[in-house]
Structure formats: structure tokens, C-alpha cells
Amino acid sequence: LHDSLIAAVADAADLPALEGVRVGALGKQGSVSALLKTLGGMTPEQRQTEGPRINGLREAVSAAIAARKAALEQAALDQRLASERIDLSLPAPDAPAGSVHPVSQVMDELAEIFADLGFSVATGPEIEDDWHNFTALNIPESHPARAMHDTFYFGDDTARDGRRMLLRTHTSPVQIRTMTSKAPPIRIIAPGRTYRSDSDATHTPMFHQVEGLVIDRGIHMGHLKWTLETFVRAFFERDDIVLRMRPSYFPFTEPSAEVDVGYTLDKGRRVIGGAMPDGWMEILGSGMVHPKVIAACGLDPDEWQGFAFGCGIDRLAMLKYGMDDLRAFFDGDLRWLRHYGFAA
Ligand code: PHE
């Protein structure tokens, strides 16, 4: 029995086969276990000679099984190491890299340009109330500007303290939030998403604006014009850009001005810049902050003045990067982004 069991252990080709041999010899019904049971029926003399033989057999078989098990496990490990080896010389698969969307890139550029002029970045909620979005900005309940803005309102059941909730129609409520939470002097820009119920090639229901606000003592239109000129020249990276200010009307600024940038024609294409413009393109609305707005924020308009402006970011990006369809900005089409060099 000893020799045949040792041979069976050596012949076991894998771990399941070896386990079969173990159960056949040492298991409850195994051949070695059966021999051990015979010891009970023996005389003391027989047991004295047979006991050590049978126990010796059991130990020899267990030892052989343990050794074979270790050998089989080592072989299995060697095989795995050989088959799973990583070939470090293979080229790595392309890892798709993300990129910064043109709108986000323009927001970053704006923050950098204005940081150099001493402005910090402020934010406000996209879900606003009508007091911050309209009333505090001198747009009373009945004012046609409320309708002009094509506002997305939330249901009356969302009203808080008698204020209707809405998607902000411009970034100007951040002016109010800043003036009511920080003491002047104030120099901030507020880039972000804005919403109006409007949709065609040049309007999307969601779009981006950047607000600018300066509140200090002795601020006048000259500061506004210089700031806008400096900003536009830095943004379009040309020193020969001229601005034109046209009198306009916003309820929250007085006086108000719409600002155009001069463009020149290059083979029929409009290029921003040129000391002698061929035409003008409107880029933003601006003005001196209305005394009523300053008072609504709890500041004394006789002590504090300032200017504000609001500018469409998507429009700026289109002009800077020569893009022509606003809607494509929000389609997330990688081919479009690649075409303008914004995705790998
Ligand atoms: N909020 C105005 C708009 O959306 C722009 C603006 C901002 C005008 C600040 C004047 C001052 O059209």
C-alpha cells in the first residue's frame, strides 16, 4: 500500500487529482484510515508492532501529499507569472485627454486680465429671486424690462418671503449681492450662466455673461472707458482697438452706454481692431451705477459711486476664435471643438 500511494501522489497532475488521492487514503473512508481502525481489534502485542507501522505509513503519505501540493502550487504560480508577464516595450493605448471648453477658457482669461487690474471674482446663484434680479436693480414690478427679459419663472409655490424665484436673466444681481455683503471699495467681475427664454442662431436659452462692478469714491465715466479699453485690448491681444460708446438705457445705470468695438475688413472677414474701423460691433452694456441701486443696497449714494458693465461671454469667444454658430457651443460635439483646436 505504501508504494502504491506514494506513486499515486507523484502521478497526481493537478491539485484536484491530488485531493482525490488524499481523500482515498486519509479521508474518513480512506485506505489508511481503514488500517488505523483495525488497531482497535488487535492484541496489545500486535498493536505494539503494527501501530508504529501504520502510523508511519500515515505520516509518510501526508508528507508526500504536502510536498506534492507545494510543488503543484509553485508550478501553477510559475505558469501564471510566465503567461501574465507585461511587455513594457508595447506602446501604451491612447488615453483620451479632456480639454477646456472655449467658454471656460474665456472665463479664465477674463479673470486673469481683471486680476491684473485689481478685480476679484464674485459669484451668485443661478436660481435667483426677483428682488435681486429686478427690484433692487430699479426694475419695478410693472416695468416692461421684466417682460423684455423673457424670464423663466419658477412656480408661485417656490416663492420665499414674497419674492418670486426665477433663473437669473443677467449677472447684474451679483452687483446687489456684492454691495449688500461687502463694504466698499469694491472691484469685482462675476462671470456665469444666465437664462432667457429665447432661441435662434445667435440666442440660446442658457448663455454666459460677465458682470463688472466698481464702487468707490469719485468714480466717473472716464474710469469706465479706460477699464473697458484696457480689458478689450488685452483680451483680443491688439493695442489698436478703438471703442465707441453710444448713449443707451438700463434702469440700473445712469448714464448708460452701449459699447461697440471697431473692426476692420480683411478679405471680407471682420477682424476686431484697427485704428480706422470699417464698422462697429456691439459687445456690452454699461453705465454709472444708478443712485437708487446704491441706496437699495444700504450705501449712501452721495459718498459712493461706481460703474458697472455686462458682457456676453459666448459672443466674446465667437469673436476671438472666429466661431459662427452660438448653438454649437452647447452641443458638446468633439468634432466642432477639434475644428477650432479645443480638443485633441
Ligand atoms: N445686465 C445688462 C444686460 O443683461 C447689461 C448691463 C450690466 C448693463 C451692467 C449695464 C450695467 O443686458
Side-chain angles (χ1 to χ4, degrees), residues 137 148-149 169-173 175 194 196 207 209-212 249-250 252-253 256-258 282 284-289 307-311:
L137 287 161
M148 214 174 71
H149 276 206
T169 60
H170 50 180
T171 42
S172 300
Q175 289 187 37
T194 47
R196 285 179 209 179
F207 56 105
Q209 284 192 337
V210 61
E211 195 79 8
Y249 174 77
F250 298 102
F252 35 92
T253 46
S256 304
E258 257 159 348
E282 183 192 325
L284 58 85
S286 65
M288 300 307 294
V289 179
F307 65 76
F309 59 88
C311 178

Side-chain angles (χ1 to χ4, degrees), residues 234-250:
F235 181 76
F236 289 105
E237 299 171 68
R238 278 182 76 149
D239 288 332
D240 61 351
I241 297 175
V242 279
L243 293 187
R244 183 173 76 172
M245 296 178 97
R246 277 180 294 111
S248 183
Y249 174 77
F250 298 102

Side-chain angles (χ1 to χ4, degrees), residues 269-312:
R269 263 195 66 220
R270 293 172 175 196
V271 180
I272 303 292
M276 300 286 284
D278 292 312
W280 302 94
M281 241 181 291
E282 183 192 325
I283 55 158
L284 58 85
S286 65
M288 300 307 294
V289 179
H290 198 294
K292 281 191 181 175
V293 174
I294 292 178
C297 294
L299 299 174
D300 177 1
D302 290 330
E303 181 175 9
W304 303 105
Q305 310 77 46
F307 65 76
F309 59 88
C311 178

Side-chain angles (χ1 to χ4, degrees), residues 314-335:
D314 313 302
R315 190 79 192 292
L316 283 183
M318 289 170 80
L319 290 173
K320 181 159 178 176
Y321 298 110
M323 298 156 162
D324 51 21
D325 187 356
L326 176 63
R327 286 169 296 193
F329 271 81
F330 311 121
D331 286 343
D333 189 332
L334 283 176
R335 291 168 304 178

